[in-house]
Amino acid sequence: MAIISSNIDDNDFSLRKKELRLVDSKVISEEKRNNLNLVRPVSLKEFIGQEKLKSSLRIAIDASTIRKESLEHTLLYGQPGLGKTTLAFLIAKEMNTKCRVATAPAIERPRDIVGLLLGMKEGEVLFIDEIHRLNRLTEELLYSAMEDFRLDLTMGANRGARCRTINIPRFTLIGATTKLASISAPLRDRFGLFHKVEFYTNDELKQIIINFSRLININLDDDASYNLAKISRGTPRIALRFLRRVRDYAQVVKKTNVISKNLVNKALNSYQIDEKGLDSLDRQYLSLLRLNNNNPTGLDSIAAGLGDDSSMIEFVVEPYLIQIGFLIRTPRGRLLTDLGKKYIDSKNDNF
Ligand code: ADP
């Protein structure tokens, strides 16, 4: 993250692309360090958007409360930054219970998941993020834990091995994944509720931005919040990150907490984000394709040209360019659309 020095001016404010992309929907280290991601809505009502998901969750929560049962295991899937973790906390809150949090890559050994499950109390929620990344042994232990609230453990080795069964409290597992297809069928089948978390509309993002701006004490006008919403790729995490960077700019460069549309544009300019929400890596990508004229270009050549790895290009850069109609993927390679060409031709100097 760029360090903000006291004698900063508009031009110093840019970020180097390799350090951080403001438009990346994954959590970045600055957010983890400062717990910025933890500024979350405190009730389902405050959770903006996802109306269908919220109303079916509401019914499931009320039904299990009436029956005095724990909620069925729930799988939330959708892109990073859309609110899966937030929903898990809200579900626990609505169920009047605690939410324990783990991420699948951190559950390495069988004893990690056993420890987690033995520590659960009746009715509590266990949230496992990136659940598609669980290893096989952990997954197998989860099967009986989810189905029968029982742990089947093997103690000792070889001939001396014995099986032991331990009953565990009835808990609710909430799994979150960005890759539904990577979850094995036996694990998937043990979830009772499935919810897709969708991208947000501009109006919903605008509301999220307005609510958050109140929390961090800045005064944002209507046009300014809509402008931010428009370029946030349907993703609250990106919207809130933009908002924090705009606040930095406003407070450090302009010495104000009042943010207009004009100030938003200036701030984003200083971060090299343009009116479409594209950053310098997006534009370099488009320029490279433009140089190839109308020839389809393979992903590996693009990655080599940009000096980035191909999966980052494929999963992080391209989806949004496709979504806004600048790019198409063909069997022979990537191609710019007329819209994409027009856009990149209008950017004369790489911003
Ligand atoms: P995920 O787990 O899907 O990656 P998070 O739950 O961590 O996403 O959400 C990212 C950020 O966006 C958090 O700061 C969260 O408070 C905020 N956020 C996500 N969805 C909403 C929403 N519907 N309303 C308000 N804030 C939201």
Side-chain angles (χ1 to χ4, degrees):
M1 179 64 220
I3 309 275
I4 300 166
S5 72
S6 53
N7 58 354
I8 207 155
D9 67 26
D10 290 24
N11 295 327
D12 288 327
F13 231 72
S14 62
L15 298 168
R16 274 176 288 139
K17 128 195 159 191
K18 293 281 158 66
E19 286 177 335
L20 156 69
R21 289 187 80 212
L22 287 184
V23 292
D24 194 332
S25 57
K26 299 209 184 84
V27 184
I28 57 172
S29 52
E30 178 224 12
E31 286 163 346
K32 272 193 195 142
R33 221 175 22 252
N34 296 338
N35 272 350
L36 288 171
N37 213 35
L38 294 183
V39 184
R40 300 183 190 280
V42 293
S43 68
L44 262 188
K45 255 197 199 141
E46 269 183 41
F47 188 87
I48 309 292
Q50 313 292 343
E51 298 306 330
K52 272 199 218 138
L53 183 161
K54 278 193 299 188
S55 70
S56 50
L57 257 184
R58 182 78 271 157
I59 293 172
I61 290 172
D62 290 349
S64 47
T65 312
I66 292 168
R67 292 195 298 264
K68 296 195 172 46
E69 286 173 358
S70 54
L71 184 70
E72 279 189 75
H73 303 305
T74 302
L75 187 64
L76 301 172
Y77 59 100
Q79 292 305 302
L82 296 183
K84 299 179 295 299
T85 312
T86 309
L87 276 169
F89 277 104
L90 292 178
I91 292 171
K93 188 145 192 250
E94 300 283 333
M95 297 290 298
N96 229 340
T97 187
K98 254 199 186 153
C99 180
R100 296 172 190 257
V101 180
T103 62
I107 311 176
E108 282 174 1
R109 299 154 304 176
R111 83 162 89 124
D112 296 329
I113 190 70
V114 171
L116 269 173
L117 292 170
L118 289 180
M120 299 295 295
K121 299 213 173 68
E122 194 73 22
E124 280 184 354
V125 169
L126 173 62
F127 174 67
I128 302 186
D129 202 6
E130 300 187 65
I131 197 159
H132 58 275
R133 293 177 64 186
L134 283 179
N135 61 49
R136 196 177 48 83
L137 278 179
T138 305
E139 222 186 277
E140 283 171 2
L141 280 167
L142 264 183
Y143 296 159
S144 58
M146 290 172 77
E147 208 157 61
D148 303 318
F149 302 100
R150 199 187 74 208
L151 274 171
D152 295 324
L153 303 174
T154 311
M155 326 284 238
N158 304 327
R159 285 222 197 131
R162 286 174 295 117
C163 280
R164 202 176 145 203
T165 296
I166 303 175
N167 290 327
I168 53 172
R170 299 182 74 85
F171 69 104
T172 298
L173 177 66
I174 302 185
T177 182
T178 47
K179 294 187 179 152
L180 185 61
S182 307
I183 297 191
S184 70
L187 181 59
R188 217 172 40 224
D189 291 347
R190 284 168 170 83
F191 286 97
L193 303 169
F194 295 80
H195 291 291
K196 178 165 191 220
V197 190
E198 308 274 359
F199 285 110
Y200 292 73
T201 64
N202 289 342
D203 284 328
E204 288 164 348
L205 284 178
K206 179 180 157 189
Q207 195 52 52
I208 292 173
I209 289 169
I210 290 174
N211 293 352
F212 191 69
S213 69
R214 290 191 188 121
L215 276 178
I216 60 173
N217 286 328
I218 53 175
N219 188 340
L220 200 69
D221 73 28
D222 240 39
D223 283 350
S225 41
Y226 194 75
N227 251 27
L228 277 183
K230 248 181 14 194
I231 60 165
S232 297
R233 307 182 179 206
T235 307
R237 178 173 295 132
I238 297 178
L240 299 184
R241 188 181 298 147
F242 275 151
L243 181 61
R244 290 195 298 269
R245 294 293 76 84
V246 170
R247 175 183 64 163
D248 289 350
Y249 179 90
Q251 291 179 340
V252 176
V253 180
K254 302 290 178 196
K255 313 269 183 265
T256 179
N257 274 340
V258 181
I259 296 176
S260 63
K261 177 175 163 187
N262 197 12
L263 201 149
V264 164
N265 291 342
K266 280 199 178 132
L268 292 175
N269 248 306
S270 72
Y271 294 115
Q272 306 199 9
I273 307 277
D274 66 18
E275 70 292 346
K276 291 261 176 223
L278 299 192
D279 69 1
S280 55
L281 181 56
D282 296 313
R283 286 189 296 275
Q284 281 169 26
Y285 177 103
L286 295 170
S287 303
L288 194 92
L289 279 196
R290 188 68 176 125
L291 278 179
N292 276 357
N293 264 322
N294 289 329
N295 298 318
T297 313
L299 179 62
D300 288 338
S301 321
I302 299 174
L306 293 177
D308 251 306
D309 72 287
S310 50
S311 72
M312 143 82 172
I313 304 288
E314 185 175 8
F315 296 110
V316 180
V317 178
E318 290 181 345
Y320 185 62
L321 297 175
I322 294 172
Q323 208 180 317
I324 58 174
F326 281 9
L327 178 73
I328 44 173
R329 286 178 181 153
T330 73
R332 290 187 305 130
R334 275 61 172 165
L335 265 183
L336 280 189
T337 61
D338 287 343
L339 210 61
K341 284 180 206 157
K342 204 164 145 206
Y343 163 86
I344 201 62
D345 289 346
S346 70
K347 304 280 162 192
N348 39 20
D349 57 1
N350 263 345
F351 218 71

